[in-house]
Amino acid sequence: MSLLPRRFRRLQFVLNYRISDLTVILEHVEKSHNLSAILRSCDAVGIIEAHAVSLRERLRIFQNTALGSQKWVRLRNYNSIVPAITQLKQRGFKIYGTNLGIGSIDYRNCDFLGPSSFLLGAEKWGLSQEAAELVDQSITIPMSGMVQSLNVSVATAILLFEVLRQRQVAETLPTNGEGLIMQHRKKLLLEYAHPQIANLYRDEGKDYPELDQHGKIILDISNNITICQ
Ligand code: SAM
């Protein structure tokens, strides 16, 4: 399907606001409406990649049935919490574990200006003990009602928009593509504009083709991949 100029402009606009130093880790959040709502909030604040510790089969069913935000926010799956947290820590992320118990601090007292990752727990059980021990900081959204906790997608949205608020005040939010390195931006633009073609190149293990100023693929005959534009 050809790409309309308006659609291409929209994709470029969205990428101007994308942020690579904010993410979420979902530990066995497995109701698909919660996953969808969380990815929707991620997209709304400019997150490009979220992380999930989940049974592969459950996530596959979700990816196949959900429509919408997961097209714009990549969901990486792990079969245990350790690699998910370790790789984010190695990339300089501070891990904020959401926890309702003693020892958690009010999320409004945290500084989310640096690379930040929120760890959210399962609908019924919350975070595992293993996950809770790996976080850098436990945080909570204070509650004063009869119910003990929020829905996990609501908690996620509250936290993400607090990050946005703080970064807005600090004037560190990207507005013109500063949130992504150029190579990453080009890669995402191709994936957003031509998802099927991006899949084709990935399956073939080839570098993505270049786009012209209108978003059309510049064909590279040496690449030997047949595509219809
Ligand atoms: N009984 C569970 C517990 O004790 O954690 C409740 C789980 S809650 C429905 C699901 C997830 O939503 C939690 O693991 C946490 O990630 C997030 N959450 C819900 N309410 C929260 C709050 N007030 N502060 C921080 N996170 C919250």
Side-chain angles (χ1 to χ4, degrees):
M1 207 172 73
S2 75
L3 183 69
L4 295 173
R6 199 163 49 128
R7 172 82 167 176
F8 187 57
R9 282 197 299 276
R10 174 81 193 158
L11 296 177
Q12 289 177 304
F13 172 86
V14 164
L15 285 172
N16 284 343
Y17 293 86
R18 284 303 203 223
I19 307 171
S20 59
D21 67 349
L22 177 62
T23 192
V24 296
I25 312 172
L26 312 173
E27 192 192 28
H28 295 295
V29 174
E30 275 159 359
K31 292 196 174 147
S32 56
H33 61 271
N34 285 335
L35 279 171
S36 289
I38 289 171
L39 291 186
R40 202 166 168 154
S41 297
C42 288
D43 173 60
V45 299
I47 288 178
I48 51 178
E49 184 176 70
H51 307 265
V53 178
S54 182
L55 301 177
R56 195 165 289 280
E57 184 58 14
R58 286 227 180 128
L59 210 65
R60 195 184 59 74
I61 293 168
F62 166 72
Q63 306 264 33
N64 288 345
T65 53
L67 295 171
S69 314
Q70 81 281 3
K71 282 199 301 197
W72 314 115
V73 182
R74 184 173 169 215
L75 188 57
R76 283 184 67 175
N77 193 44
Y78 305 80
N79 46 26
S80 100
I81 191 66
V82 177
I85 291 185
T86 307
Q87 65 95 10
L88 284 169
K89 281 189 175 175
Q90 281 166 352
R91 287 165 56 193
F93 280 83
K94 185 162 179 179
I95 313 294
Y96 293 95
T98 52
N99 213 320
L100 312 173
I102 306 159
S104 296
I105 62 170
D106 185 329
Y107 77 106
R108 292 165 297 187
N109 295 331
C110 294
D111 174 345
F112 298 126
L113 297 183
S116 304
S117 176
F118 294 112
L119 174 57
L120 294 125
E123 286 89 350
K124 204 162 183 179
W125 312 112
L127 290 186
S128 68
Q129 186 64 31
E130 186 182 23
E133 283 169 8
L134 290 171
V135 306
D136 296 307
Q137 178 67 62
S138 282
I139 56 170
T140 193
I141 303 165
M143 308 276 296
S144 47
M146 291 294 286
V147 182
Q148 195 205 6
S149 64
L150 296 164
N151 169 279
V152 62
S153 67
V154 173
T156 310
I158 290 171
L159 296 169
L160 294 180
F161 278 91
E162 171 62 10
V163 179
L164 225 57
R165 189 196 66 76
Q166 288 190 10
R167 293 184 183 189
Q168 206 139 28
V169 171
E171 298 183 357
T172 60
L173 274 185
T175 54
N176 200 19
E178 311 91 319
L180 298 174
I181 57 168
M182 187 49 80
Q183 268 317 99
H184 199 172
R185 182 192 169 93
K186 278 173 78 174
K187 179 174 167 283
L188 284 174
L189 186 58
L190 188 106
E191 289 172 356
Y192 285 0
H194 303 284
Q196 284 149 347
I197 292 171
N199 282 342
L200 210 63
Y201 273 75
R202 264 204 311 277
D203 290 348
E204 296 276 334
K206 300 211 159 132
D207 291 342
Y208 287 163
E210 294 287 321
L211 294 179
D212 71 13
Q213 58 180 346
H214 307 293
K216 262 191 108 179
I217 288 177
I218 302 169
L219 288 176
D220 173 3
I221 46 169
S222 66
N223 236 332
N224 220 6
I225 291 182
T226 314
I227 51 177
C228 308
Q229 288 194 77

